[in-house]
Amino acid sequence: MAKGRFFVTGVKYGVRYGPHAKILFDQVKEPAADYVKARFESRRAKRLALAKARTLQDGSVLGVVHGQVPVWVVFSGDGPVSAHPDRGVPLADLLDRADLTRRLRPQEVPTPRDRAVAARERAVGTVRRRKG
């Protein structure tokens, strides 16, 4: 009997709020897709910059913002080499007011495995704190 009541209630709410949900979905779909695409492009640019920095002697990367787009500048020693994604802006302009002490070495960036292990340890610690 509970399944029938659940089904009837679901149909009532679907009929009542379904058109509103469809309109809301249509309005949000395109901006959400653009946001997800921008996030993937940003992560891809960072991954490419770190890969290039690994191939250089004393390689490092620095994240800066140009407009509203994050740009990763690759360094070899103290000299800038390239930017990912390439925005067509000279590297000197990107680094005009940047704090060069915040550069990351590729060895300092945690791997996905390191992040997964850390997340597991945090979850286990939370469970242990709650138990006792």
Side-chain angles (χ1 to χ4, degrees), residues 48-84:
L48 289 174
L50 285 169
K52 184 165 186 169
R54 282 187 193 97
T55 65
L56 299 173
Q57 187 175 12
D58 193 26
S60 60
V61 296
L62 175 68
V64 295
V65 177
H66 179 257
Q68 293 182 348
V69 178
V71 178
W72 294 91
V73 180
V74 180
F75 288 85
S76 176
D78 287 333
V81 176
S82 65
H84 295 276

PDB file of all heavy atoms in Angstrom, residues 48-84:
ATOM      1  N   LEU A  48      48.604  20.883 -18.138  1.00  0.00           N
ATOM      2  CA  LEU A  48      49.593  21.076 -19.200  1.00  0.00           C
ATOM      3  C   LEU A  48      50.778  21.898 -18.706  1.00  0.00           C
ATOM      4  O   LEU A  48      51.929  21.601 -19.039  1.00  0.00           O
ATOM      5  CB  LEU A  48      48.946  21.758 -20.407  1.00  0.00           C
ATOM      6  CG  LEU A  48      47.965  20.917 -21.206  1.00  0.00           C
ATOM      7  CD1 LEU A  48      47.294  21.768 -22.275  1.00  0.00           C
ATOM      8  CD2 LEU A  48      48.662  19.732 -21.833  1.00  0.00           C
ATOM      9  N   ALA A  49      50.506  22.929 -17.909  1.00  0.00           N
ATOM     10  CA  ALA A  49      51.584  23.760 -17.373  1.00  0.00           C
ATOM     11  C   ALA A  49      52.480  22.949 -16.446  1.00  0.00           C
ATOM     12  O   ALA A  49      53.714  23.062 -16.500  1.00  0.00           O
ATOM     13  CB  ALA A  49      51.007  24.965 -16.640  1.00  0.00           C
ATOM     14  N   LEU A  50      51.895  22.125 -15.593  1.00  0.00           N
ATOM     15  CA  LEU A  50      52.696  21.296 -14.691  1.00  0.00           C
ATOM     16  C   LEU A  50      53.502  20.262 -15.474  1.00  0.00           C
ATOM     17  O   LEU A  50      54.660  19.994 -15.131  1.00  0.00           O
ATOM     18  CB  LEU A  50      51.798  20.597 -13.670  1.00  0.00           C
ATOM     19  CG  LEU A  50      51.266  21.488 -12.563  1.00  0.00           C
ATOM     20  CD1 LEU A  50      50.185  20.769 -11.776  1.00  0.00           C
ATOM     21  CD2 LEU A  50      52.386  21.918 -11.649  1.00  0.00           C
ATOM     22  N   ALA A  51      52.934  19.715 -16.539  1.00  0.00           N
ATOM     23  CA  ALA A  51      53.665  18.753 -17.356  1.00  0.00           C
ATOM     24  C   ALA A  51      54.865  19.418 -18.026  1.00  0.00           C
ATOM     25  O   ALA A  51      55.949  18.833 -18.093  1.00  0.00           O
ATOM     26  CB  ALA A  51      52.744  18.146 -18.411  1.00  0.00           C
ATOM     27  N   LYS A  52      54.690  20.638 -18.509  1.00  0.00           N
ATOM     28  CA  LYS A  52      55.806  21.343 -19.124  1.00  0.00           C
ATOM     29  C   LYS A  52      56.858  21.707 -18.084  1.00  0.00           C
ATOM     30  O   LYS A  52      58.060  21.616 -18.345  1.00  0.00           O
ATOM     31  CB  LYS A  52      55.326  22.591 -19.839  1.00  0.00           C
ATOM     32  CG  LYS A  52      56.422  23.299 -20.581  1.00  0.00           C
ATOM     33  CD  LYS A  52      55.901  24.293 -21.553  1.00  0.00           C
ATOM     34  CE  LYS A  52      57.061  24.851 -22.364  1.00  0.00           C
ATOM     35  NZ  LYS A  52      56.591  25.631 -23.480  1.00  0.00           N
ATOM     36  N   ALA A  53      56.428  22.103 -16.882  1.00  0.00           N
ATOM     37  CA  ALA A  53      57.372  22.468 -15.829  1.00  0.00           C
ATOM     38  C   ALA A  53      58.201  21.260 -15.399  1.00  0.00           C
ATOM     39  O   ALA A  53      59.365  21.418 -15.020  1.00  0.00           O
ATOM     40  CB  ALA A  53      56.636  23.056 -14.633  1.00  0.00           C
ATOM     41  N   ARG A  54      57.623  20.064 -15.459  1.00  0.00           N
ATOM     42  CA  ARG A  54      58.384  18.861 -15.103  1.00  0.00           C
ATOM     43  C   ARG A  54      59.525  18.603 -16.079  1.00  0.00           C
ATOM     44  O   ARG A  54      60.523  18.009 -15.725  1.00  0.00           O
ATOM     45  CB  ARG A  54      57.461  17.643 -15.075  1.00  0.00           C
ATOM     46  CG  ARG A  54      56.632  17.541 -13.850  1.00  0.00           C
ATOM     47  CD  ARG A  54      55.863  16.224 -13.785  1.00  0.00           C
ATOM     48  NE  ARG A  54      54.862  16.319 -12.743  1.00  0.00           N
ATOM     49  CZ  ARG A  54      53.584  16.626 -12.951  1.00  0.00           C
ATOM     50  NH1 ARG A  54      53.148  16.839 -14.169  1.00  0.00           N
ATOM     51  NH2 ARG A  54      52.744  16.716 -11.936  1.00  0.00           N
ATOM     52  N   THR A  55      59.367  19.042 -17.320  1.00  0.00           N
ATOM     53  CA  THR A  55      60.407  18.796 -18.324  1.00  0.00           C
ATOM     54  C   THR A  55      61.524  19.828 -18.274  1.00  0.00           C
ATOM     55  O   THR A  55      62.562  19.620 -18.888  1.00  0.00           O
ATOM     56  CB  THR A  55      59.795  18.801 -19.741  1.00  0.00           C
ATOM     57  OG1 THR A  55      59.287  20.103 -20.032  1.00  0.00           O
ATOM     58  CG2 THR A  55      58.706  17.763 -19.863  1.00  0.00           C
ATOM     59  N   LEU A  56      61.318  20.939 -17.573  1.00  0.00           N
ATOM     60  CA  LEU A  56      62.310  22.002 -17.527  1.00  0.00           C
ATOM     61  C   LEU A  56      63.218  21.856 -16.312  1.00  0.00           C
ATOM     62  O   LEU A  56      62.835  21.275 -15.299  1.00  0.00           O
ATOM     63  CB  LEU A  56      61.617  23.368 -17.470  1.00  0.00           C
ATOM     64  CG  LEU A  56      60.732  23.712 -18.663  1.00  0.00           C
ATOM     65  CD1 LEU A  56      59.987  24.997 -18.389  1.00  0.00           C
ATOM     66  CD2 LEU A  56      61.568  23.837 -19.912  1.00  0.00           C
ATOM     67  N   GLN A  57      64.404  22.434 -16.437  1.00  0.00           N
ATOM     68  CA  GLN A  57      65.318  22.443 -15.307  1.00  0.00           C
ATOM     69  C   GLN A  57      64.836  23.514 -14.327  1.00  0.00           C
ATOM     70  O   GLN A  57      64.632  24.665 -14.702  1.00  0.00           O
ATOM     71  CB  GLN A  57      66.737  22.758 -15.779  1.00  0.00           C
ATOM     72  CG  GLN A  57      67.771  22.629 -14.708  1.00  0.00           C
ATOM     73  CD  GLN A  57      69.157  22.825 -15.277  1.00  0.00           C
ATOM     74  OE1 GLN A  57      69.322  23.275 -16.404  1.00  0.00           O
ATOM     75  NE2 GLN A  57      70.155  22.471 -14.511  1.00  0.00           N
ATOM     76  N   ASP A  58      64.653  23.140 -13.074  1.00  0.00           N
ATOM     77  CA  ASP A  58      64.142  24.029 -12.024  1.00  0.00           C
ATOM     78  C   ASP A  58      62.802  24.641 -12.462  1.00  0.00           C
ATOM     79  O   ASP A  58      62.581  25.836 -12.347  1.00  0.00           O
ATOM     80  CB  ASP A  58      65.157  25.116 -11.688  1.00  0.00           C
ATOM     81  CG  ASP A  58      64.798  25.862 -10.402  1.00  0.00           C
ATOM     82  OD1 ASP A  58      64.109  25.261  -9.555  1.00  0.00           O
ATOM     83  OD2 ASP A  58      65.184  27.037 -10.267  1.00  0.00           O
ATOM     84  N   GLY A  59      61.902  23.799 -12.981  1.00  0.00           N
ATOM     85  CA  GLY A  59      60.613  24.266 -13.473  1.00  0.00           C
ATOM     86  C   GLY A  59      59.632  24.539 -12.353  1.00  0.00           C
ATOM     87  O   GLY A  59      59.638  23.886 -11.310  1.00  0.00           O
ATOM     88  N   SER A  60      58.773  25.545 -12.561  1.00  0.00           N
ATOM     89  CA  SER A  60      57.719  25.876 -11.601  1.00  0.00           C
ATOM     90  C   SER A  60      56.580  26.543 -12.359  1.00  0.00           C
ATOM     91  O   SER A  60      56.735  26.937 -13.520  1.00  0.00           O
ATOM     92  CB  SER A  60      58.251  26.797 -10.501  1.00  0.00           C
ATOM     93  OG  SER A  60      58.735  28.003 -11.056  1.00  0.00           O
ATOM     94  N   VAL A  61      55.431  26.666 -11.702  1.00  0.00           N
ATOM     95  CA  VAL A  61      54.264  27.320 -12.303  1.00  0.00           C
ATOM     96  C   VAL A  61      53.693  28.331 -11.328  1.00  0.00           C
ATOM     97  O   VAL A  61      53.843  28.211 -10.111  1.00  0.00           O
ATOM     98  CB  VAL A  61      53.166  26.302 -12.701  1.00  0.00           C
ATOM     99  CG1 VAL A  61      53.646  25.371 -13.778  1.00  0.00           C
ATOM    100  CG2 VAL A  61      52.673  25.544 -11.512  1.00  0.00           C
ATOM    101  N   LEU A  62      53.049  29.336 -11.887  1.00  0.00           N
ATOM    102  CA  LEU A  62      52.399  30.363 -11.085  1.00  0.00           C
ATOM    103  C   LEU A  62      51.042  30.656 -11.696  1.00  0.00           C
ATOM    104  O   LEU A  62      50.939  30.920 -12.904  1.00  0.00           O
ATOM    105  CB  LEU A  62      53.232  31.646 -11.046  1.00  0.00           C
ATOM    106  CG  LEU A  62      52.608  32.843 -10.339  1.00  0.00           C
ATOM    107  CD1 LEU A  62      52.504  32.564  -8.842  1.00  0.00           C
ATOM    108  CD2 LEU A  62      53.421  34.097 -10.574  1.00  0.00           C
ATOM    109  N   GLY A  63      50.008  30.602 -10.890  1.00  0.00           N
ATOM    110  CA  GLY A  63      48.669  30.919 -11.354  1.00  0.00           C
ATOM    111  C   GLY A  63      48.390  32.403 -11.219  1.00  0.00           C
ATOM    112  O   GLY A  63      48.573  32.985 -10.155  1.00  0.00           O
ATOM    113  N   VAL A  64      47.989  33.037 -12.310  1.00  0.00           N
ATOM    114  CA  VAL A  64      47.591  34.440 -12.311  1.00  0.00           C
ATOM    115  C   VAL A  64      46.237  34.533 -13.005  1.00  0.00           C
ATOM    116  O   VAL A  64      45.809  33.598 -13.683  1.00  0.00           O
ATOM    117  CB  VAL A  64      48.629  35.344 -13.023  1.00  0.00           C
ATOM    118  CG1 VAL A  64      49.940  35.368 -12.279  1.00  0.00           C
ATOM    119  CG2 VAL A  64      48.840  34.919 -14.451  1.00  0.00           C
ATOM    120  N   VAL A  65      45.580  35.648 -12.839  1.00  0.00           N
ATOM    121  CA  VAL A  65      44.271  35.846 -13.453  1.00  0.00           C
ATOM    122  C   VAL A  65      44.384  36.970 -14.473  1.00  0.00           C
ATOM    123  O   VAL A  65      44.855  38.067 -14.159  1.00  0.00           O
ATOM    124  CB  VAL A  65      43.201  36.190 -12.389  1.00  0.00           C
ATOM    125  CG1 VAL A  65      41.868  36.461 -13.049  1.00  0.00           C
ATOM    126  CG2 VAL A  65      43.078  35.066 -11.394  1.00  0.00           C
ATOM    127  N   HIS A  66      43.963  36.694 -15.696  1.00  0.00           N
ATOM    128  CA  HIS A  66      43.929  37.704 -16.749  1.00  0.00           C
ATOM    129  C   HIS A  66      42.470  37.887 -17.136  1.00  0.00           C
ATOM    130  O   HIS A  66      41.845  36.971 -17.678  1.00  0.00           O
ATOM    131  CB  HIS A  66      44.754  37.259 -17.954  1.00  0.00           C
ATOM    132  CG  HIS A  66      44.720  38.249 -19.068  1.00  0.00           C
ATOM    133  ND1 HIS A  66      43.951  38.066 -20.180  1.00  0.00           N
ATOM    134  CD2 HIS A  66      45.339  39.434 -19.219  1.00  0.00           C
ATOM    135  CE1 HIS A  66      44.104  39.097 -20.984  1.00  0.00           C
ATOM    136  NE2 HIS A  66      44.941  39.941 -20.416  1.00  0.00           N
ATOM    137  N   GLY A  67      41.927  39.034 -16.836  1.00  0.00           N
ATOM    138  CA  GLY A  67      40.487  39.236 -17.010  1.00  0.00           C
ATOM    139  C   GLY A  67      39.779  38.407 -15.951  1.00  0.00           C
ATOM    140  O   GLY A  67      39.932  38.650 -14.768  1.00  0.00           O
ATOM    141  N   GLN A  68      39.029  37.430 -16.378  1.00  0.00           N
ATOM    142  CA  GLN A  68      38.401  36.504 -15.430  1.00  0.00           C
ATOM    143  C   GLN A  68      38.860  35.076 -15.677  1.00  0.00           C
ATOM    144  O   GLN A  68      38.275  34.139 -15.163  1.00  0.00           O
ATOM    145  CB  GLN A  68      36.889  36.581 -15.541  1.00  0.00           C
ATOM    146  CG  GLN A  68      36.315  37.893 -15.082  1.00  0.00           C
ATOM    147  CD  GLN A  68      34.801  37.908 -15.173  1.00  0.00           C
ATOM    148  OE1 GLN A  68      34.191  37.040 -15.770  1.00  0.00           O
ATOM    149  NE2 GLN A  68      34.201  38.908 -14.568  1.00  0.00           N
ATOM    150  N   VAL A  69      39.921  34.918 -16.453  1.00  0.00           N
ATOM    151  CA  VAL A  69      40.401  33.595 -16.830  1.00  0.00           C
ATOM    152  C   VAL A  69      41.704  33.296 -16.097  1.00  0.00           C
ATOM    153  O   VAL A  69      42.643  34.088 -16.154  1.00  0.00           O
ATOM    154  CB  VAL A  69      40.641  33.529 -18.361  1.00  0.00           C
ATOM    155  CG1 VAL A  69      41.181  32.175 -18.762  1.00  0.00           C
ATOM    156  CG2 VAL A  69      39.370  33.853 -19.101  1.00  0.00           C
ATOM    157  N   PRO A  70      41.778  32.160 -15.388  1.00  0.00           N
ATOM    158  CA  PRO A  70      43.048  31.804 -14.753  1.00  0.00           C
ATOM    159  C   PRO A  70      44.062  31.358 -15.809  1.00  0.00           C
ATOM    160  O   PRO A  70      43.744  30.604 -16.720  1.00  0.00           O
ATOM    161  CB  PRO A  70      42.684  30.655 -13.825  1.00  0.00           C
ATOM    162  CG  PRO A  70      41.381  30.155 -14.290  1.00  0.00           C
ATOM    163  CD  PRO A  70      40.709  31.249 -15.045  1.00  0.00           C
ATOM    164  N   VAL A  71      45.276  31.874 -15.682  1.00  0.00           N
ATOM    165  CA  VAL A  71      46.365  31.561 -16.604  1.00  0.00           C
ATOM    166  C   VAL A  71      47.522  31.031 -15.779  1.00  0.00           C
ATOM    167  O   VAL A  71      47.871  31.602 -14.744  1.00  0.00           O
ATOM    168  CB  VAL A  71      46.795  32.813 -17.400  1.00  0.00           C
ATOM    169  CG1 VAL A  71      47.961  32.494 -18.316  1.00  0.00           C
ATOM    170  CG2 VAL A  71      45.632  33.374 -18.189  1.00  0.00           C
ATOM    171  N   TRP A  72      48.138  29.940 -16.225  1.00  0.00           N
ATOM    172  CA  TRP A  72      49.268  29.326 -15.535  1.00  0.00           C
ATOM    173  C   TRP A  72      50.539  29.643 -16.303  1.00  0.00           C
ATOM    174  O   TRP A  72      50.678  29.273 -17.463  1.00  0.00           O
ATOM    175  CB  TRP A  72      49.058  27.813 -15.414  1.00  0.00           C
ATOM    176  CG  TRP A  72      47.905  27.516 -14.523  1.00  0.00           C
ATOM    177  CD1 TRP A  72      46.605  27.359 -14.895  1.00  0.00           C
ATOM    178  CD2 TRP A  72      47.935  27.392 -13.117  1.00  0.00           C
ATOM    179  NE1 TRP A  72      45.830  27.133 -13.790  1.00  0.00           N
ATOM    180  CE2 TRP A  72      46.625  27.153 -12.687  1.00  0.00           C
ATOM    181  CE3 TRP A  72      48.949  27.454 -12.165  1.00  0.00           C
ATOM    182  CZ2 TRP A  72      46.300  26.970 -11.351  1.00  0.00           C
ATOM    183  CZ3 TRP A  72      48.626  27.271 -10.841  1.00  0.00           C
ATOM    184  CH2 TRP A  72      47.303  27.035 -10.448  1.00  0.00           C
ATOM    185  N   VAL A  73      51.447  30.367 -15.643  1.00  0.00           N
ATOM    186  CA  VAL A  73      52.708  30.760 -16.259  1.00  0.00           C
ATOM    187  C   VAL A  73      53.774  29.760 -15.836  1.00  0.00           C
ATOM    188  O   VAL A  73      53.926  29.466 -14.648  1.00  0.00           O
ATOM    189  CB  VAL A  73      53.105  32.191 -15.849  1.00  0.00           C
ATOM    190  CG1 VAL A  73      54.420  32.583 -16.501  1.00  0.00           C
ATOM    191  CG2 VAL A  73      52.007  33.172 -16.220  1.00  0.00           C
ATOM    192  N   VAL A  74      54.511  29.228 -16.806  1.00  0.00           N
ATOM    193  CA  VAL A  74      55.563  28.246 -16.561  1.00  0.00           C
ATOM    194  C   VAL A  74      56.902  28.969 -16.492  1.00  0.00           C
ATOM    195  O   VAL A  74      57.203  29.821 -17.336  1.00  0.00           O
ATOM    196  CB  VAL A  74      55.587  27.188 -17.681  1.00  0.00           C
ATOM    197  CG1 VAL A  74      56.671  26.162 -17.426  1.00  0.00           C
ATOM    198  CG2 VAL A  74      54.236  26.514 -17.803  1.00  0.00           C
ATOM    199  N   PHE A  75      57.699  28.631 -15.476  1.00  0.00           N
ATOM    200  CA  PHE A  75      59.012  29.228 -15.281  1.00  0.00           C
ATOM    201  C   PHE A  75      60.092  28.159 -15.401  1.00  0.00           C
ATOM    202  O   PHE A  75      59.886  27.016 -15.005  1.00  0.00           O
ATOM    203  CB  PHE A  75      59.127  29.842 -13.883  1.00  0.00           C
ATOM    204  CG  PHE A  75      58.326  31.089 -13.699  1.00  0.00           C
ATOM    205  CD1 PHE A  75      56.996  31.024 -13.345  1.00  0.00           C
ATOM    206  CD2 PHE A  75      58.910  32.329 -13.869  1.00  0.00           C
ATOM    207  CE1 PHE A  75      56.255  32.166 -13.161  1.00  0.00           C
ATOM    208  CE2 PHE A  75      58.175  33.486 -13.689  1.00  0.00           C
ATOM    209  CZ  PHE A  75      56.841  33.401 -13.339  1.00  0.00           C
ATOM    210  N   SER A  76      61.237  28.573 -15.905  1.00  0.00           N
ATOM    211  CA  SER A  76      62.447  27.759 -15.853  1.00  0.00           C
ATOM    212  C   SER A  76      63.450  28.592 -15.077  1.00  0.00           C
ATOM    213  O   SER A  76      63.959  29.593 -15.582  1.00  0.00           O
ATOM    214  CB  SER A  76      62.964  27.460 -17.254  1.00  0.00           C
ATOM    215  OG  SER A  76      64.179  26.741 -17.164  1.00  0.00           O
ATOM    216  N   GLY A  77      63.703  28.199 -13.836  1.00  0.00           N
ATOM    217  CA  GLY A  77      64.509  29.046 -12.950  1.00  0.00           C
ATOM    218  C   GLY A  77      63.675  30.258 -12.578  1.00  0.00           C
ATOM    219  O   GLY A  77      62.581  30.141 -12.059  1.00  0.00           O
ATOM    220  N   ASP A  78      64.214  31.456 -12.885  1.00  0.00           N
ATOM    221  CA  ASP A  78      63.469  32.687 -12.596  1.00  0.00           C
ATOM    222  C   ASP A  78      62.860  33.316 -13.840  1.00  0.00           C
ATOM    223  O   ASP A  78      62.213  34.354 -13.756  1.00  0.00           O
ATOM    224  CB  ASP A  78      64.396  33.706 -11.923  1.00  0.00           C
ATOM    225  CG  ASP A  78      64.714  33.317 -10.492  1.00  0.00           C
ATOM    226  OD1 ASP A  78      63.873  32.627  -9.872  1.00  0.00           O
ATOM    227  OD2 ASP A  78      65.790  33.688  -9.988  1.00  0.00           O
ATOM    228  N   GLY A  79      63.059  32.712 -14.985  1.00  0.00           N
ATOM    229  CA  GLY A  79      62.548  33.291 -16.224  1.00  0.00           C
ATOM    230  C   GLY A  79      61.270  32.631 -16.688  1.00  0.00           C
ATOM    231  O   GLY A  79      61.177  31.403 -16.740  1.00  0.00           O
ATOM    232  N   PRO A  80      60.253  33.429 -17.057  1.00  0.00           N
ATOM    233  CA  PRO A  80      59.012  32.844 -17.587  1.00  0.00           C
ATOM    234  C   PRO A  80      59.242  32.267 -18.971  1.00  0.00           C
ATOM    235  O   PRO A  80      59.972  32.822 -19.785  1.00  0.00           O
ATOM    236  CB  PRO A  80      58.043  34.025 -17.617  1.00  0.00           C
ATOM    237  CG  PRO A  80      58.902  35.235 -17.660  1.00  0.00           C
ATOM    238  CD  PRO A  80      60.187  34.885 -16.969  1.00  0.00           C
ATOM    239  N   VAL A  81      58.616  31.128 -19.222  1.00  0.00           N
ATOM    240  CA  VAL A  81      58.793  30.430 -20.492  1.00  0.00           C
ATOM    241  C   VAL A  81      57.534  30.499 -21.343  1.00  0.00           C
ATOM    242  O   VAL A  81      57.593  30.849 -22.514  1.00  0.00           O
ATOM    243  CB  VAL A  81      59.182  28.953 -20.232  1.00  0.00           C
ATOM    244  CG1 VAL A  81      59.284  28.187 -21.531  1.00  0.00           C
ATOM    245  CG2 VAL A  81      60.467  28.874 -19.453  1.00  0.00           C
ATOM    246  N   SER A  82      56.396  30.153 -20.753  1.00  0.00           N
ATOM    247  CA  SER A  82      55.144  30.131 -21.520  1.00  0.00           C
ATOM    248  C   SER A  82      53.967  30.288 -20.578  1.00  0.00           C
ATOM    249  O   SER A  82      54.127  30.284 -19.354  1.00  0.00           O
ATOM    250  CB  SER A  82      55.021  28.827 -22.308  1.00  0.00           C
ATOM    251  OG  SER A  82      54.910  27.748 -21.419  1.00  0.00           O
ATOM    252  N   ALA A  83      52.785  30.419 -21.181  1.00  0.00           N
ATOM    253  CA  ALA A  83      51.547  30.549 -20.411  1.00  0.00           C
ATOM    254  C   ALA A  83      50.536  29.546 -20.956  1.00  0.00           C
ATOM    255  O   ALA A  83      50.486  29.271 -22.150  1.00  0.00           O
ATOM    256  CB  ALA A  83      50.994  31.958 -20.506  1.00  0.00           C
ATOM    257  N   HIS A  84      49.737  28.999 -20.065  1.00  0.00           N
ATOM    258  CA  HIS A  84      48.674  28.056 -20.438  1.00  0.00           C
ATOM    259  C   HIS A  84      47.383  28.511 -19.779  1.00  0.00           C
ATOM    260  O   HIS A  84      47.352  28.639 -18.566  1.00  0.00           O
ATOM    261  CB  HIS A  84      49.013  26.639 -19.980  1.00  0.00           C
ATOM    262  CG  HIS A  84      50.205  26.063 -20.655  1.00  0.00           C
ATOM    263  ND1 HIS A  84      50.131  25.456 -21.873  1.00  0.00           N
ATOM    264  CD2 HIS A  84      51.502  26.032 -20.295  1.00  0.00           C
ATOM    265  CE1 HIS A  84      51.325  25.048 -22.227  1.00  0.00           C
ATOM    266  NE2 HIS A  84      52.174  25.384 -21.282  1.00  0.00           N
TER     267      HIS A  84
END
